[in-house]
Amino acid sequence: MPKFSIIIPVYNRPEEVVELLDSLTMQSLHNEMEVIVIEDGSTITCEKEIEPYMTQLDLKYFKQENMGPGGARNRGAREAIGEYLIFFDSDCVLPSDYLQRAMDHLRRDPLGCFGGPDKAHKFFSRTQKAISYSMTSFLTTGGIRGASVKIDKFYPRSFNLGVLKQIFDEVGGFSDMRYGEDIDFSMKVHEYGHRIGLISETFVYHKRRNTFKSFFKQVFSSGSARIQIASRHKGALQLVHILPTLFLLGIPVSILLGACVNTWFYNVYPIYFLLVFVLAWISTGQFTVACLSIIASFIQLVGYGMGFITGLWMKYVKKDPQYEAFKQTFYN
């Protein structure tokens, strides 16, 4: 029986799957894993692209009607035989020692569930690097997405999440939420009393979105999904999740105060984005990426804030019990 079952849900991303599978062939613990690819109702399948890997990996490939990311991962878990299930998004690439690092850590500290951070690969586009910085910076997300410094509990995200199969089955797997289903899952694991830990050395290179338009859709949906998560789990709504909304609402307030009270208030947001620029330049070493990080950070905060407000409106004003964040446009 393999130690790890790698589960990859896919929707219309054959090229990305190839890059992920390439990185899996180079794992130092090659014999300790099986790989399960779930084609979740794709109109552009990856069947032809993964054929060469059938002889290089212990690879299983399944097709199903579109059920969303949670349903695809649940299908993969049902087919898995490994001790640990590890979920990756199809737009991730692994360093060659990922599994070895995970194995070494779990021998020292046998966690029931774990996650790792994500980084931008040097070959990513400048926009992807800027988006990656925005999604991992303490200035924009509070360091809650797999960083070593954070202002909220660590909840593994599905782009890099490992869990004992026994625990996965115990908590009932992923829900049918189209966004936020990974946070919902991690919170269930916490509520069942199992230990979750960050393994900082098991990072992945995560492409995320490659345009600012698609990035806006992603963060809008995440903000909206936070309301669903808060309604399912007591204490799931923390200050860090409200900050983007305060940022959004603070824009007209700062302009009004600048006009009516003191012109100093005009400087609040320029100073903030100057700090984003400086820290992004230090972090990435690239001037252009630092400039794009200003745009990415603005989109991240405003998009999340708009989604959060929309979620509040749909849930508590319109009182729509069936509301799910961007359910019909998750993959677009």
Side-chain angles (χ1 to χ4, degrees):
M1 181 177 74
K3 181 73 172 181
F4 302 109
S5 292
I6 310 298
I7 299 172
I8 308 166
V10 185
Y11 182 81
N12 288 344
R13 292 184 174 185
E15 297 83 5
E16 291 181 348
V17 174
V18 167
E19 293 181 354
L20 176 52
L21 293 177
D22 270 338
S23 68
L24 287 171
T25 63
M26 294 183 282
Q27 289 301 303
S28 55
L29 289 185
H30 192 277
N31 296 326
E32 289 288 347
M33 69 175 182
E34 64 170 351
V35 181
I36 302 172
V37 175
I38 305 296
E39 193 85 69
D40 190 36
S42 299
T43 57
I44 307 173
T45 72
C46 63
E47 187 169 9
K48 183 179 296 184
E49 282 77 7
I50 70 171
E51 183 65 31
Y53 297 94
M54 289 293 186
T55 57
Q56 301 179 58
L57 297 166
D58 180 6
L59 177 59
K60 303 173 184 176
Y61 175 68
F62 301 95
K63 294 181 181 179
Q64 65 178 29
E65 293 184 3
N66 181 255
M67 297 180 64
R73 296 188 190 103
N74 289 342
R75 170 68 187 280
R78 289 195 297 271
E79 304 290 348
I81 60 173
E83 180 183 357
Y84 276 91
L85 311 178
I86 304 183
F87 300 93
F88 297 119
D89 285 352
S90 61
D91 58 352
C92 291
V93 176
L94 277 59
S96 60
D97 59 353
Y98 178 98
L99 290 181
Q100 184 64 63
R101 290 177 180 272
M103 178 82 84
D104 292 344
H105 187 102
L106 293 171
R107 284 171 175 166
R108 299 191 306 268
D109 183 16
L111 297 166
C113 181
F114 67 90
D118 60 334
K119 298 183 179 182
H121 197 280
K122 63 181 180 180
F123 294 117
F124 285 5
S125 72
R126 292 169 180 170
T127 298
Q128 288 174 322
K129 290 177 181 178
I131 290 173
S132 178
Y133 175 80
S134 170
M135 291 296 283
T136 56
S137 170
F138 185 84
L139 289 175
T140 52
T141 63
I144 63 175
R145 300 185 69 90
S148 57
V149 179
K150 48 189 177 294
I151 58 177
D152 186 26
K153 290 180 180 178
F154 172 64
Y155 296 108
R157 313 292 173 118
S158 56
F159 65 81
N160 185 4
L161 186 159
V163 60
L164 282 168
K165 189 176 190 306
Q166 177 182 348
I167 293 177
F168 184 92
D169 294 337
E170 179 186 350
V171 304
F174 290 94
S175 71
D176 60 356
M177 294 177 66
R178 293 270 174 154
Y179 251 100
E181 81 292 340
D182 49 356
I183 305 301
D184 176 64
F185 173 80
S186 295
M187 287 184 171
K188 286 194 296 184
V189 174
H190 267 296
E191 291 162 0
Y192 272 72
H194 298 293
R195 290 183 61 236
I196 297 180
L198 166 68
I199 306 180
S200 58
E201 59 269 27
T202 57
F203 65 88
V204 299
Y205 298 112
H206 193 192
K207 289 183 180 178
R208 301 188 183 279
R209 299 298 182 258
N210 55 14
T211 68
F212 286 134
K213 181 179 179 180
S214 59
F215 180 49
F216 175 83
K217 290 183 178 181
Q218 178 188 18
V219 293
F220 181 97
S221 299
S222 295
S224 187
R226 177 54 60 173
I227 303 303
Q228 289 292 330
I229 294 170
S231 69
R232 294 175 178 228
H233 303 279
K234 184 179 180 180
L237 190 60
Q238 303 292 328
L239 175 62
V240 66
H241 306 121
I242 302 173
L243 288 177
T245 304
L246 297 179
F247 176 94
L248 175 62
L249 298 176
I251 295 174
V253 171
S254 67
I255 295 173
L256 181 63
L257 290 175
C260 300
V261 179
N262 191 308
T263 57
W264 180 89
F265 286 101
Y266 288 136
N267 300 322
V268 173
Y269 283 81
I271 291 172
Y272 172 80
F273 284 113
L274 177 61
L275 184 59
V276 169
F277 169 79
V278 171
L279 294 182
W281 196 358
I282 293 172
S283 175
T284 66
Q286 297 183 334
F287 176 83
T288 304
V289 173
C291 292
L292 291 173
S293 294
I294 297 175
I295 301 173
S297 297
F298 180 82
I299 292 173
Q300 195 269 325
L301 292 166
V302 170
Y304 191 101
M306 290 175 64
F308 190 90
I309 292 171
T310 300
L312 284 173
W313 176 266
M314 296 293 290
K315 186 76 175 179
Y316 297 109
V317 179
K318 294 193 69 174
K319 299 185 183 299
D320 182 357
Q322 302 302 318
Y323 175 65
E324 292 182 57
F326 260 38
K327 181 173 181 177
Q328 299 305 319
T329 56
F330 173 84
Y331 288 115
N332 297 331

